[in-house]
């Protein structure tokens, strides 16, 4: 079969200019001609442009991502498939991944966020795993910005609207408001699924002659060029005109797809399966064939269409949601079709696997694209873009003049609790079903969510974290700190960190200082992941997060999966018993640099250090995590809470918020600890632990043996009052009122 | 004055609701159904003297709040009632 | 006893209900499929929570057209026990097995949280193992749980004692803030005139294990088991 | 034939959505708004010869599925289009 593919009537003539209009460089366009030995057809040009877009090809990031550790005794599947998989014992694998949907969510926040959830779910059940938990990491502009409330309400509505409807609980997340995201919000969605080891599916095609099935929603003109034009270019006024590419999600169909695909997987008739995500039919078909070193042939006339008149270009590039592509075992198509029919879904045979390593597309009886697969996917361009630190690294500064810090620590504490970054996120997470599937031991509101696994003693702890303020000061240390925070969060719940997935949100990689931020971030994740022996098994890169030339601060988002040997030993983040002893353990002194305190108050005026982050000794961090896990499993601690936004004073306050009835705490601090840095500073790692009096001796021993320092101690009181040394003496109920009311108040709800 | 606003999913945009309703109607035996689109119907009472003024306000309301131009089409009628 | 749990397309808590009945309470429970008409000999039929048919058009409106609902209606009319939880409650209202209707929460947003309900009538098949006035901690998770009924019907429902559960504050007091969705008379659960059909917005099947947020939901299931015995 | 169905919350029924839209419009400065009701607008394509037959089918569809008479009023128009 060596006749060249034909152009269709009405298609524009392909030349370099059209290639450039498709986002390709002149060199890339030349390369395409060399690969094909001819000028591409219009359809082929579209295909190359999406497949070689930053979003699909990772051309700026691929060589650096290899730095991150992706192997380990538990790793069953590292990067390369739709999601990573880790062996968590008892025959179960945890399959997980995080992904960005930043640009679509900025353009149409409800649908953008909803389809972000839909997409990450498909990455998980495509592996044969039942999705059991979602998380979301959100960054918005400041509340003063006119679009923030609308974006917040719509994004949260979209995440809930989709996740709730498919029956996957959203068990944790994080939300930050900062003017640095005024023009470019971040919406990162995480999903984790469970699969029996022997049932793991792959996206590697095999078996020449095996049929290719199309399952799910019909194809429309949604999101054409979403990947190449939206996610791989900066934002500007022109983005408005790209609006018709908005994708609309249908969670109801997704729910049917989940059940049907999992049931189909149990038949054993699925050879390979992949969702149609970015670049839809094109990427799913070429990648599945490519992984298997085979070819594929598709007949577009058989693709179910939502409306008549779609061109091959449109069918191939459509990003319509809720679609899957399956390579079936020859002779067992009927069996699969019966399963899909049960769930009212069509499974349509649209092609077959071939042995010639070409990606060949028919339309109207003619061949309209014929491309060798390896160069299209695996050998896509890879760049080593120049990287250089900026001349003068400037931490992000808010545009408003800040007030001087209050003279009374109690006043500062109340201001911090009212900050939307610290205040309760209940207004957000109560819009999410966090309990469906009956596994949620601890839902949103703590350091990490805890899930049980039915039928066994083990459980999982999940958290997602980022620290763009620290990353803006030092992209390396900030990334290290983010991994540490995530690891310590799961350890606080009593779980051992076992795996990481990451979403790397950065600006335009064509600028050397952004590339430098990116590389330093990856190096930070690498070092910290190695330290915690928590391999990075999946992830996603989102570049071009800029508006009008202003990049977001570097924002690597880390989702950590922790394993609990016994889910009933999980520890809460709040105090549970009056009379318990409280210990504060830390690995390093806190700093005000990058803290919420520094974001609220003018620190430098009082000579406080707001620049340096301070060093992080990863061996201490690891020792801390291990101590927490050991102590929890031994039943020595009743609660553990890590200090993050707002510092020690806020962490102690939060620990008093027992949902069953507020408690209090009393601390005597040496006077040198009564400074703003000690009370409100952040940085790695400080833990507030509580334990029954009879266990305190053993716990102190464990802490000492780990080489960690106890810097303060106190006790839990029945009376809901927080007393810290001579500087803070506040009514916990009043503090809780501030903490709970702040976000609804900002949104203007009663 | 009464303003009636009719909002429908834009042509070419997925309308999962419409599809579900179409299926359900067929299940109920209404086989003559060829297509269903489900949208919103908003009835506003607007105090205003001139129909022209109300019409102008209605257009602005649709654009600024009532319809989402990315995925929806709208039209409205200004009546007395 | 034998239970039947119906799965509609888009049902979500069907698996959780089966888990609660079988694994936690040791009951004989079978899944029922919306396209079938057989109820498999079950003594109590549960319509579970979720988003049947995506909750498109109106919650529960499309599901009540399913083949299985013909049997459920017949079964209920013959006096069989039927319980609808959340989306199941909406389906029962749409099918006219229960009075009233459920519409958007007054906040217009989905709400997932623990609520407290008071058992307003303990002399029914669904509440007999609780005491009248007893408080139950149960989770809710819904966007359309605002119960409405018209004046005449409402007073009839109240007079006959068809309101089985009412939202109250954790201390048992009736306060408007304790009504999570704005339901009329803070109604959280209602029965039909014959007291063999019951719909409730809170999820008893998600309140059966102390480790997972409490076990007050057992009171509802135990009542049904006692009644069927 | 095209059938347009207009569904509105029944008078006397709480319409939180209508209230929210009214509030939002006022916040945007449309102070002349006196009342807002938010309902559904359904457009059906019905294959059918006679307008009378289609009208009868439409009525049945409304009663059996499209509207809930307890809380909603409906009316419909049968047009050519
Ligand atoms: N967008 C969100 N979705 C779900 N849960 C959230 C979201 N934002 C915050 N939360 C929850 O609120 C709590 C506080 O979040 P955060 O301040 O980020 O915690 P920490 O600083 O301890 O990591 C966490 O339990 C988190 O899971
Ligand atoms: Mg934390």
């Amino acid at each position: 079969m060596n006749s060249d593919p034909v152009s269709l009537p009405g298609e524009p003539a392909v030349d370099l200019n059209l290639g450039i209009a498709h986002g390709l460089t002149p060199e890339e366009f030349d390369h395409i001609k060399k690969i094909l030995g001819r000028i591409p057809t219009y359809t082929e040009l579209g295909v190359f442009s999406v497949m070689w877009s930053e979003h699909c090809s990772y051309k700026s990031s691929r060589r650096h991502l290899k730095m991150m550790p992706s192997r380990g005794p538990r790793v069953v599947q590292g990067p390369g498939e739709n999601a990573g998989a880790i062996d968590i014992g008892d025959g179960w694998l945890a399959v997980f991944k995080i992904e960005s949907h930043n640009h679509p969510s900025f353009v149409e926040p409800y649908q953008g966020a909803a389809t972000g959830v839909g997409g990450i779910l498909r990455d998980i059940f495509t592996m044969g795993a039942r999705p059991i938990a979602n998380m979301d990491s959100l960054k918005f502009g400041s509340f003063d910005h006119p679009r923030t409330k609308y974006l917040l309400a719509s994004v949260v509505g979209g995440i809930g609207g989709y996740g709730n409807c498919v029956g996957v609980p959203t068990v944790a997340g994080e939300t930050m408001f900062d003017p640095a995201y005024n023009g470019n919000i971040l919406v990162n969605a995480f999903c984790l699924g469970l699969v029996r080891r022997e049932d793991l599916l792959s996206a590697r095609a095999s078996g020449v002659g095996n049929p290719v099935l199309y399952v799910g929603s019909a194809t429309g003109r949604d999101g054409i060029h979403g990947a190449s034009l939206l996610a791989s270019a900066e934002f500007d006024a022109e983005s408005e005109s790209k609006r018709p590419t908005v994708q609309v999600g249908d969670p109801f169909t997704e729910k049917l797809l989940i059940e049907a695909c999992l049931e189909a997987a149990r038949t054993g008739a699925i050879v390979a399966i992949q969702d149609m995500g970015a670049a839809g039919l094109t990427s799913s078909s070429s990648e599945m064939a490519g992984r298997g070193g085979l070819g594929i042939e598709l007949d577009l006339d058989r693709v179910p269409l939502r409306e008549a008149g779609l061109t091959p270009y449109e069918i191939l590039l459509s990003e319509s949601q809720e679609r899957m592509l399956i390579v079936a075992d020859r002779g067992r198509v009927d069996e699969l079709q019966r399963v899909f029919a049960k769930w009212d879904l069509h499974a349509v045979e649209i092609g077959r696997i071939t042995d010639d390593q070409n990606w060949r597309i028919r339309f109207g009886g003619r061949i309209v694209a014929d491309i060798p697969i390896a160069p299209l996917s695996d050998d896509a361009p890879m760049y080593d873009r120049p990287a250089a630190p900026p001349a003068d690294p400037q931490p992000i500064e808010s545009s408003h003049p800040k007030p001087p810090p209050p003279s009374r620590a109690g006043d500062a504490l109340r201001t911090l609790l009212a900050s939307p970054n610290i205040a309760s996120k209940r207004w957000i997470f109560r819009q999410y079903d966090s309990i469906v599937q009956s596994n949620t031991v601890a839902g949103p509101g703590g350091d990490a969510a805890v899930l049980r696994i039915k039928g066994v003693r083990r459980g999982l702890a999940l958290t997602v974290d980022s620290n763009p303020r620290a990353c803006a000061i030092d992209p390396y240390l900030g990334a290290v700190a983010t991994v540490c925070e995530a690891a310590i969060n799961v350890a606080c719940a009593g779980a051992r960190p076992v795996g990481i997935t990451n979403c790397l949100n950065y600006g335009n990689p064509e600028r050397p200082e952004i590339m430098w931020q990116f590389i330093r971030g990856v190096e930070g994740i690498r070092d910290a992941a190695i330290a915690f022996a928590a391999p990075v098994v999946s992830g996603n890169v989102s570049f071009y997060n800029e508006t009008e030339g202003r990049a977001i601060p570097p924002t690597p988002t880390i989702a950590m999966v922790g394993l609990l040997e016994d889910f009933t030993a999980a520890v809460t983040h709040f105090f549970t018993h009056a009379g318990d002893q409280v210990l504060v353990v830390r690995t390093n002194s806190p700093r005000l640099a990058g803290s919420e305190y520094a974001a609220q108050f003018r620190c430098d005026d009082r000579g406080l250090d707001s620049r340096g982050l301070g060093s992080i000794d990863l061996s201490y961090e690891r020792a801390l995590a291990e101590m927490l896990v050991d102590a929890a499993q031994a039943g020595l601690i009743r609660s553990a809470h890590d200090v993050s936004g707002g510092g020690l004073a806020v962490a102690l306050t939060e620990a008093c918020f027992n949902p069953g009835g507020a408690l209090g705490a009393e601390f005597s601090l040496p006077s040198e600890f009564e400074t703003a840095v000690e009370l409100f500073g952040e940085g790695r790692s400080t833990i507030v632990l509580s334990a029954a009096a009879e266990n305190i001796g053993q716990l102190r021993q464990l802490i000492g043996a780990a080489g960690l320092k106890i810097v303060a101690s106190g006790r839990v009181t029945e009376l809901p009052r927080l007393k810290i040394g001579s500087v803070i003496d506040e009514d916990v109920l009043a503090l809780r009122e501030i903490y709970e009311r702040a976000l609804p108040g900002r949104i203007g709800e009663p | 004055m009464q303003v009636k606003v009719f909002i429908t999913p834009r042509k070419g945009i997925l309308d999962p609701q419409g599809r579900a309703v179409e299926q359900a109607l067929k299940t109920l035996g209404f086989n003559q159904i060829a297509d269903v689109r489900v949208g919103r119907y908003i009835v506003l009472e607007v105090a205003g003297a001139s129909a022209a003024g109300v019409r102008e306000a209605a257009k602005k309301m649709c654009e600024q709040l009532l319809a989402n131009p990315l995925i929806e089409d709208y039209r409205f009628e200004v009546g007395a009632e | 006893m034998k239970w039947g749990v119906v799965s509609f397309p888009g049902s979500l808590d069907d698996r959780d209900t089966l888990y609660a009945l079988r694994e936690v309470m040791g009951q004989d429970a079978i899944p029922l499929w919306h396209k079938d008409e057989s109820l498999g000999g079950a003594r109590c039929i549960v319509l579970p929570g979720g988003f049947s048919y995506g909750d498109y058009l109106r919650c529960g409106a499309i599901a009540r057209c399913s083949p299985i609902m013909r049997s459920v209606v017949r079964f209920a009319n013959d006096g069989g026990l039927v319980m609808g939880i959340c989306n199941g409650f909406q389906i029962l209202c749409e099918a006219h097995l229960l009075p009233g209707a459920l519409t958007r929460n007054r906040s217009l947003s989905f709400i997932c949280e623990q609520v407290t309900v008071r058992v307003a009538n303990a002399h029914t098949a669904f509440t007999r193992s609780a005491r009248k006035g007893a408080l139950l901690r149960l989770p809710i998770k819904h966007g359309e749980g605002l119960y409405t009924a018209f004046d005449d019907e409402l007073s009839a429902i109240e007079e006959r004692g068809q309101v089985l559960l009412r939202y109250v504050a954790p201390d048992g007091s009736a306060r408007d803030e304790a009504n999570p969705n704005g339901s009329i008379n803070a109604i959280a659960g209602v029965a039909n005139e014959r007291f063999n059909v019951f719909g409730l917005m809170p999820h008893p099947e998600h309140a059966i294990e102390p480790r997972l947020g409490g076990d007050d939901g057992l009171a509802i299931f135990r009542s049904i088991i006692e009644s069927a015995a």
Side-chain angles (χ1 to χ4, degrees), chain C residues 33-39 67-68 70-72 74:
Chain C
W33 186 239
H34 67 107
K35 289 178 190 170
D36 295 337
E37 293 209 29
S38 160
L39 299 182
I68 193 114
R70 286 196 281 273
S71 314
V72 171
R74 227 176 294 124

mmCIF file with all atom_site columns, all heavy atoms in Angstrom, chain C residues 33-39 67-68 70-72 74:
data_model
loop_
_atom_site.group_PDB
_atom_site.id
_atom_site.type_symbol
_atom_site.label_atom_id
_atom_site.label_alt_id
_atom_site.label_comp_id
_atom_site.label_asym_id
_atom_site.label_entity_id
_atom_site.label_seq_id
_atom_site.pdbx_PDB_ins_code
_atom_site.Cartn_x
_atom_site.Cartn_y
_atom_site.Cartn_z
_atom_site.occupancy
_atom_site.B_iso_or_equiv
_atom_site.pdbx_formal_charge
_atom_site.auth_seq_id
_atom_site.auth_comp_id
_atom_site.auth_asym_id
_atom_site.auth_atom_id
_atom_site.pdbx_PDB_model_num
ATOM 1   N N   . TRP C 1 33 ? -31.689 -5.040  38.454 1.00 0.00 ? 33 TRP C N   1
ATOM 2   C CA  . TRP C 1 33 ? -31.254 -4.272  37.286 1.00 0.00 ? 33 TRP C CA  1
ATOM 3   C C   . TRP C 1 33 ? -32.437 -3.521  36.695 1.00 0.00 ? 33 TRP C C   1
ATOM 4   O O   . TRP C 1 33 ? -33.518 -4.084  36.531 1.00 0.00 ? 33 TRP C O   1
ATOM 5   C CB  . TRP C 1 33 ? -30.635 -5.230  36.273 1.00 0.00 ? 33 TRP C CB  1
ATOM 6   C CG  . TRP C 1 33 ? -30.004 -4.597  35.082 1.00 0.00 ? 33 TRP C CG  1
ATOM 7   C CD1 . TRP C 1 33 ? -30.325 -4.801  33.768 1.00 0.00 ? 33 TRP C CD1 1
ATOM 8   C CD2 . TRP C 1 33 ? -28.908 -3.680  35.055 1.00 0.00 ? 33 TRP C CD2 1
ATOM 9   N NE1 . TRP C 1 33 ? -29.519 -4.075  32.942 1.00 0.00 ? 33 TRP C NE1 1
ATOM 10  C CE2 . TRP C 1 33 ? -28.639 -3.366  33.693 1.00 0.00 ? 33 TRP C CE2 1
ATOM 11  C CE3 . TRP C 1 33 ? -28.126 -3.070  36.062 1.00 0.00 ? 33 TRP C CE3 1
ATOM 12  C CZ2 . TRP C 1 33 ? -27.617 -2.481  33.314 1.00 0.00 ? 33 TRP C CZ2 1
ATOM 13  C CZ3 . TRP C 1 33 ? -27.120 -2.191  35.686 1.00 0.00 ? 33 TRP C CZ3 1
ATOM 14  C CH2 . TRP C 1 33 ? -26.884 -1.908  34.319 1.00 0.00 ? 33 TRP C CH2 1
ATOM 15  N N   . HIS C 1 34 ? -32.239 -2.271  36.358 1.00 0.00 ? 34 HIS C N   1
ATOM 16  C CA  . HIS C 1 34 ? -33.348 -1.407  35.925 1.00 0.00 ? 34 HIS C CA  1
ATOM 17  C C   . HIS C 1 34 ? -34.087 -1.929  34.706 1.00 0.00 ? 34 HIS C C   1
ATOM 18  O O   . HIS C 1 34 ? -35.260 -1.624  34.511 1.00 0.00 ? 34 HIS C O   1
ATOM 19  C CB  . HIS C 1 34 ? -32.820 0.000   35.650 1.00 0.00 ? 34 HIS C CB  1
ATOM 20  C CG  . HIS C 1 34 ? -31.894 0.083   34.471 1.00 0.00 ? 34 HIS C CG  1
ATOM 21  N ND1 . HIS C 1 34 ? -32.278 0.656   33.289 1.00 0.00 ? 34 HIS C ND1 1
ATOM 22  C CD2 . HIS C 1 34 ? -30.622 -0.349  34.281 1.00 0.00 ? 34 HIS C CD2 1
ATOM 23  C CE1 . HIS C 1 34 ? -31.262 0.584   32.428 1.00 0.00 ? 34 HIS C CE1 1
ATOM 24  N NE2 . HIS C 1 34 ? -30.257 -0.007  33.004 1.00 0.00 ? 34 HIS C NE2 1
ATOM 25  N N   . LYS C 1 35 ? -33.397 -2.732  33.886 1.00 0.00 ? 35 LYS C N   1
ATOM 26  C CA  . LYS C 1 35 ? -34.064 -3.206  32.674 1.00 0.00 ? 35 LYS C CA  1
ATOM 27  C C   . LYS C 1 35 ? -34.927 -4.443  32.934 1.00 0.00 ? 35 LYS C C   1
ATOM 28  O O   . LYS C 1 35 ? -35.681 -4.861  32.071 1.00 0.00 ? 35 LYS C O   1
ATOM 29  C CB  . LYS C 1 35 ? -33.034 -3.548  31.594 1.00 0.00 ? 35 LYS C CB  1
ATOM 30  C CG  . LYS C 1 35 ? -32.352 -2.338  30.997 1.00 0.00 ? 35 LYS C CG  1
ATOM 31  C CD  . LYS C 1 35 ? -31.302 -2.738  29.952 1.00 0.00 ? 35 LYS C CD  1
ATOM 32  C CE  . LYS C 1 35 ? -30.471 -1.542  29.536 1.00 0.00 ? 35 LYS C CE  1
ATOM 33  N NZ  . LYS C 1 35 ? -29.320 -1.919  28.714 1.00 0.00 ? 35 LYS C NZ  1
ATOM 34  N N   . ASP C 1 36 ? -34.738 -5.049  34.124 1.00 0.00 ? 36 ASP C N   1
ATOM 35  C CA  . ASP C 1 36 ? -35.526 -6.242  34.448 1.00 0.00 ? 36 ASP C CA  1
ATOM 36  C C   . ASP C 1 36 ? -36.821 -5.833  35.129 1.00 0.00 ? 36 ASP C C   1
ATOM 37  O O   . ASP C 1 36 ? -36.965 -4.715  35.597 1.00 0.00 ? 36 ASP C O   1
ATOM 38  C CB  . ASP C 1 36 ? -34.742 -7.149  35.413 1.00 0.00 ? 36 ASP C CB  1
ATOM 39  C CG  . ASP C 1 36 ? -33.488 -7.686  34.753 1.00 0.00 ? 36 ASP C CG  1
ATOM 40  O OD1 . ASP C 1 36 ? -33.460 -7.737  33.507 1.00 0.00 ? 36 ASP C OD1 1
ATOM 41  O OD2 . ASP C 1 36 ? -32.539 -8.016  35.485 1.00 0.00 ? 36 ASP C OD2 1
ATOM 42  N N   . GLU C 1 37 ? -37.724 -6.805  35.223 1.00 0.00 ? 37 GLU C N   1
ATOM 43  C CA  . GLU C 1 37 ? -38.938 -6.529  35.976 1.00 0.00 ? 37 GLU C CA  1
ATOM 44  C C   . GLU C 1 37 ? -39.016 -7.363  37.240 1.00 0.00 ? 37 GLU C C   1
ATOM 45  O O   . GLU C 1 37 ? -39.874 -7.144  38.088 1.00 0.00 ? 37 GLU C O   1
ATOM 46  C CB  . GLU C 1 37 ? -40.191 -6.757  35.109 1.00 0.00 ? 37 GLU C CB  1
ATOM 47  C CG  . GLU C 1 37 ? -40.272 -5.735  33.989 1.00 0.00 ? 37 GLU C CG  1
ATOM 48  C CD  . GLU C 1 37 ? -41.699 -5.430  33.553 1.00 0.00 ? 37 GLU C CD  1
ATOM 49  O OE1 . GLU C 1 37 ? -42.629 -5.538  34.377 1.00 0.00 ? 37 GLU C OE1 1
ATOM 50  O OE2 . GLU C 1 37 ? -41.867 -5.090  32.367 1.00 0.00 ? 37 GLU C OE2 1
ATOM 51  N N   . SER C 1 38 ? -38.090 -8.317  37.353 1.00 0.00 ? 38 SER C N   1
ATOM 52  C CA  . SER C 1 38 ? -38.140 -9.202  38.516 1.00 0.00 ? 38 SER C CA  1
ATOM 53  C C   . SER C 1 38 ? -37.566 -8.515  39.753 1.00 0.00 ? 38 SER C C   1
ATOM 54  O O   . SER C 1 38 ? -36.550 -7.828  39.692 1.00 0.00 ? 38 SER C O   1
ATOM 55  C CB  . SER C 1 38 ? -37.331 -10.467 38.223 1.00 0.00 ? 38 SER C CB  1
ATOM 56  O OG  . SER C 1 38 ? -36.993 -11.091 39.438 1.00 0.00 ? 38 SER C OG  1
ATOM 57  N N   . LEU C 1 39 ? -38.232 -8.740  40.889 1.00 0.00 ? 39 LEU C N   1
ATOM 58  C CA  . LEU C 1 39 ? -37.721 -8.218  42.145 1.00 0.00 ? 39 LEU C CA  1
ATOM 59  C C   . LEU C 1 39 ? -37.025 -9.314  42.954 1.00 0.00 ? 39 LEU C C   1
ATOM 60  O O   . LEU C 1 39 ? -36.670 -9.106  44.114 1.00 0.00 ? 39 LEU C O   1
ATOM 61  C CB  . LEU C 1 39 ? -38.857 -7.583  42.968 1.00 0.00 ? 39 LEU C CB  1
ATOM 62  C CG  . LEU C 1 39 ? -39.568 -6.405  42.289 1.00 0.00 ? 39 LEU C CG  1
ATOM 63  C CD1 . LEU C 1 39 ? -40.640 -5.839  43.219 1.00 0.00 ? 39 LEU C CD1 1
ATOM 64  C CD2 . LEU C 1 39 ? -38.587 -5.305  41.901 1.00 0.00 ? 39 LEU C CD2 1
ATOM 65  N N   . PRO C 1 67 ? -38.320 -0.103  33.340 1.00 0.00 ? 67 PRO C N   1
ATOM 66  C CA  . PRO C 1 67 ? -39.138 -1.311  33.511 1.00 0.00 ? 67 PRO C CA  1
ATOM 67  C C   . PRO C 1 67 ? -39.256 -1.732  34.975 1.00 0.00 ? 67 PRO C C   1
ATOM 68  O O   . PRO C 1 67 ? -40.347 -2.075  35.438 1.00 0.00 ? 67 PRO C O   1
ATOM 69  C CB  . PRO C 1 67 ? -38.383 -2.358  32.700 1.00 0.00 ? 67 PRO C CB  1
ATOM 70  C CG  . PRO C 1 67 ? -37.644 -1.579  31.654 1.00 0.00 ? 67 PRO C CG  1
ATOM 71  C CD  . PRO C 1 67 ? -37.323 -0.244  32.278 1.00 0.00 ? 67 PRO C CD  1
ATOM 72  N N   . ILE C 1 68 ? -38.144 -1.688  35.727 1.00 0.00 ? 68 ILE C N   1
ATOM 73  C CA  . ILE C 1 68 ? -38.223 -2.196  37.104 1.00 0.00 ? 68 ILE C CA  1
ATOM 74  C C   . ILE C 1 68 ? -39.199 -1.397  37.949 1.00 0.00 ? 68 ILE C C   1
ATOM 75  O O   . ILE C 1 68 ? -39.794 -1.911  38.889 1.00 0.00 ? 68 ILE C O   1
ATOM 76  C CB  . ILE C 1 68 ? -36.827 -2.217  37.780 1.00 0.00 ? 68 ILE C CB  1
ATOM 77  C CG1 . ILE C 1 68 ? -36.857 -3.024  39.086 1.00 0.00 ? 68 ILE C CG1 1
ATOM 78  C CG2 . ILE C 1 68 ? -36.363 -0.806  38.135 1.00 0.00 ? 68 ILE C CG2 1
ATOM 79  C CD1 . ILE C 1 68 ? -36.078 -4.239  39.092 1.00 0.00 ? 68 ILE C CD1 1
ATOM 80  N N   . ARG C 1 70 ? -42.091 -0.384  37.197 1.00 0.00 ? 70 ARG C N   1
ATOM 81  C CA  . ARG C 1 70 ? -43.454 -0.939  37.124 1.00 0.00 ? 70 ARG C CA  1
ATOM 82  C C   . ARG C 1 70 ? -43.652 -1.963  38.236 1.00 0.00 ? 70 ARG C C   1
ATOM 83  O O   . ARG C 1 70 ? -44.665 -1.958  38.935 1.00 0.00 ? 70 ARG C O   1
ATOM 84  C CB  . ARG C 1 70 ? -43.681 -1.592  35.759 1.00 0.00 ? 70 ARG C CB  1
ATOM 85  C CG  . ARG C 1 70 ? -43.872 -0.586  34.626 1.00 0.00 ? 70 ARG C CG  1
ATOM 86  C CD  . ARG C 1 70 ? -44.483 -1.251  33.402 1.00 0.00 ? 70 ARG C CD  1
ATOM 87  N NE  . ARG C 1 70 ? -43.491 -2.004  32.631 1.00 0.00 ? 70 ARG C NE  1
ATOM 88  C CZ  . ARG C 1 70 ? -42.728 -1.449  31.663 1.00 0.00 ? 70 ARG C CZ  1
ATOM 89  N NH1 . ARG C 1 70 ? -42.849 -0.169  31.373 1.00 0.00 ? 70 ARG C NH1 1
ATOM 90  N NH2 . ARG C 1 70 ? -41.865 -2.173  31.003 1.00 0.00 ? 70 ARG C NH2 1
ATOM 91  N N   . SER C 1 71 ? -42.624 -2.815  38.410 1.00 0.00 ? 71 SER C N   1
ATOM 92  C CA  . SER C 1 71 ? -42.734 -3.838  39.458 1.00 0.00 ? 71 SER C CA  1
ATOM 93  C C   . SER C 1 71 ? -42.683 -3.214  40.840 1.00 0.00 ? 71 SER C C   1
ATOM 94  O O   . SER C 1 71 ? -43.370 -3.662  41.751 1.00 0.00 ? 71 SER C O   1
ATOM 95  C CB  . SER C 1 71 ? -41.590 -4.848  39.337 1.00 0.00 ? 71 SER C CB  1
ATOM 96  O OG  . SER C 1 71 ? -41.431 -5.238  38.012 1.00 0.00 ? 71 SER C OG  1
ATOM 97  N N   . VAL C 1 72 ? -41.850 -2.196  40.979 1.00 0.00 ? 72 VAL C N   1
ATOM 98  C CA  . VAL C 1 72 ? -41.729 -1.566  42.298 1.00 0.00 ? 72 VAL C CA  1
ATOM 99  C C   . VAL C 1 72 ? -43.062 -0.919  42.683 1.00 0.00 ? 72 VAL C C   1
ATOM 100 O O   . VAL C 1 72 ? -43.509 -1.037  43.832 1.00 0.00 ? 72 VAL C O   1
ATOM 101 C CB  . VAL C 1 72 ? -40.573 -0.527  42.312 1.00 0.00 ? 72 VAL C CB  1
ATOM 102 C CG1 . VAL C 1 72 ? -40.577 0.282   43.604 1.00 0.00 ? 72 VAL C CG1 1
ATOM 103 C CG2 . VAL C 1 72 ? -39.230 -1.226  42.145 1.00 0.00 ? 72 VAL C CG2 1
ATOM 104 N N   . ARG C 1 74 ? -46.052 -1.830  41.664 1.00 0.00 ? 74 ARG C N   1
ATOM 105 C CA  . ARG C 1 74 ? -46.976 -2.920  41.997 1.00 0.00 ? 74 ARG C CA  1
ATOM 106 C C   . ARG C 1 74 ? -46.683 -3.468  43.398 1.00 0.00 ? 74 ARG C C   1
ATOM 107 O O   . ARG C 1 74 ? -47.580 -3.639  44.215 1.00 0.00 ? 74 ARG C O   1
ATOM 108 C CB  . ARG C 1 74 ? -46.837 -4.038  40.957 1.00 0.00 ? 74 ARG C CB  1
ATOM 109 C CG  . ARG C 1 74 ? -48.165 -4.548  40.418 1.00 0.00 ? 74 ARG C CG  1
ATOM 110 C CD  . ARG C 1 74 ? -47.974 -5.583  39.322 1.00 0.00 ? 74 ARG C CD  1
ATOM 111 N NE  . ARG C 1 74 ? -47.370 -5.050  38.108 1.00 0.00 ? 74 ARG C NE  1
ATOM 112 C CZ  . ARG C 1 74 ? -46.254 -5.522  37.535 1.00 0.00 ? 74 ARG C CZ  1
ATOM 113 N NH1 . ARG C 1 74 ? -45.598 -6.545  38.077 1.00 0.00 ? 74 ARG C NH1 1
ATOM 114 N NH2 . ARG C 1 74 ? -45.786 -4.985  36.430 1.00 0.00 ? 74 ARG C NH2 1
#
